[in-house]
Amino acid sequence: MRRLVALVLLLFLTGARDPILVPEISQHEIQVRQGFKGTELLLFGAILTPEGTRAGQDYDIVVVLKGPTRSIVLREKQRIAGVWVNAESAEFRSAPTFFAVASSRPIDKVVDDKTAAIYELGLPWLQLSPIGAYDPQEQTRMSAGLVDLMQREGLYKQDFKGVSVSEQVLYQARIALPSSVQTGTYTAETFAINRGRVVASAISRVEVKKQGFERAVAQFAQHSGFLYGLIAVAISVAMGFMAGRLFALV
């Protein structure tokens, strides 16, 4: 009898083991050249048992694609006497230059707010790390303003029906990158969720690089900033002079 109970417990524990994710991505390197109009990434993979077989359960999948972070100063415009001037401002230490979330179901149907905040599973839970002491309501308002601005530029997005899962094993999501994406390393983190708990995660990476003339200009600006600035000013002056001469001839 004891052996039977032990066997049942062993089978129960074996069947309850968390799955593993095997992620892949359609492009591990994106080359930004002249005339780059954006691209679409296909993020796909499999949900497997530790032995490598089909997990055989219904898991929710959430994919978070995040670009390199940078410090951003957000300035609020205010109209005074008919003139738009800078009013309130806020600085964010580590705002991602790109942030996209795709999931198999709405996040509030999958996890609670605490779990969503821990893993940043959507724009409402994005951690922007503001610098300085702010009133909580003011901080929330400025953070919402930054998110809204980035959304309108196509750099922040979320799609709560953006992941499809087939036969309890294969998943895929498509995320579009606009032409204005910043260069750097992008991380694609995939989460498998069951009964409100993240049971597995995996990370893939994508490198966005400038190529051709754009890369040469970027490297020159980075390594010879002073000379690059002088050349930029000289070109601006020359263009202004040429434009003036053309207008004088008309």
Side-chain angles (χ1 to χ4, degrees):
M1 184 65 181
R2 291 181 178 177
R3 290 182 179 180
L4 179 60
V5 172
L7 180 60
V8 170
L9 289 175
L10 178 62
L11 291 174
F12 176 77
L13 292 174
T14 302
R17 282 189 299 174
D18 292 336
I20 60 173
L21 290 171
V22 183
E24 191 50 82
I25 197 164
S26 58
Q27 302 178 66
H28 287 280
E29 181 176 297
I30 297 173
Q31 297 182 355
V32 178
R33 299 178 179 272
Q34 185 176 5
F36 177 72
K37 297 181 179 179
T39 188
E40 184 179 68
L41 288 178
L42 173 63
L43 302 104
F44 60 97
I47 314 165
L48 304 174
T49 65
E51 292 77 24
T53 60
R54 187 177 71 173
Q57 293 188 42
D58 290 325
Y59 293 98
D60 284 296
I61 298 294
V62 181
V63 178
V64 179
L65 180 63
K66 184 184 293 187
T69 60
R70 64 174 181 176
S71 178
I72 294 179
V73 178
L74 180 69
R75 292 183 173 88
E76 186 178 38
K77 295 291 185 179
Q78 185 176 358
R79 193 170 185 175
I80 300 178
V83 179
W84 289 100
V85 297
N86 290 330
E88 298 293 331
S89 66
E91 184 176 2
F92 300 91
R93 180 183 297 107
S94 56
T97 54
F98 182 85
F99 184 83
V101 175
S103 58
S104 54
R105 287 196 298 159
I107 299 300
D108 59 0
K109 305 291 185 183
V110 176
V111 294
D112 57 24
D113 286 347
K114 181 180 179 180
T115 303
I118 292 173
Y119 296 100
E120 294 183 298
L121 302 181
L123 294 176
W125 302 281
L126 179 59
Q127 306 298 318
L128 294 172
S129 303
I131 299 175
Y134 293 96
D135 177 76
Q137 292 184 349
E138 184 69 10
Q139 178 179 322
T140 300
R141 188 177 68 86
M142 297 299 284
S143 297
L146 176 60
V147 170
D148 178 67
L149 176 63
M150 299 295 276
Q151 278 187 289
R152 285 188 275 118
E153 294 180 356
L155 296 172
Y156 285 6
K157 59 185 71 178
Q158 54 188 10
D159 184 356
F160 295 142
K161 294 183 179 179
V163 178
S164 60
V165 183
S166 303
E167 303 295 331
Q168 298 179 319
V169 60
L170 300 176
Y171 69 87
Q172 69 171 18
R174 296 180 183 274
I175 297 177
L177 295 177
S179 59
S180 57
V181 291
Q182 299 291 314
T183 57
T185 301
Y186 287 63
T187 59
E189 191 164 9
T190 305
F191 301 93
I193 301 172
N194 182 255
R195 296 181 180 179
R197 184 174 69 92
V198 175
V199 296
S201 64
I203 295 179
S204 299
R205 289 179 173 83
V206 180
E207 291 290 335
V208 178
K209 300 179 179 179
K210 289 186 177 181
Q211 295 293 332
F213 178 73
E214 289 78 8
R215 181 182 182 184
V217 172
Q219 289 180 338
F220 178 66
Q222 181 178 2
H223 298 295
S224 305
F226 180 73
L227 184 57
Y228 173 82
L230 290 179
I231 293 176
V233 171
I235 292 175
S236 298
V237 172
M239 293 295 291
F241 176 77
M242 292 175 62
R245 296 295 296 173
L246 289 174
F247 279 111
L249 295 174
V250 174

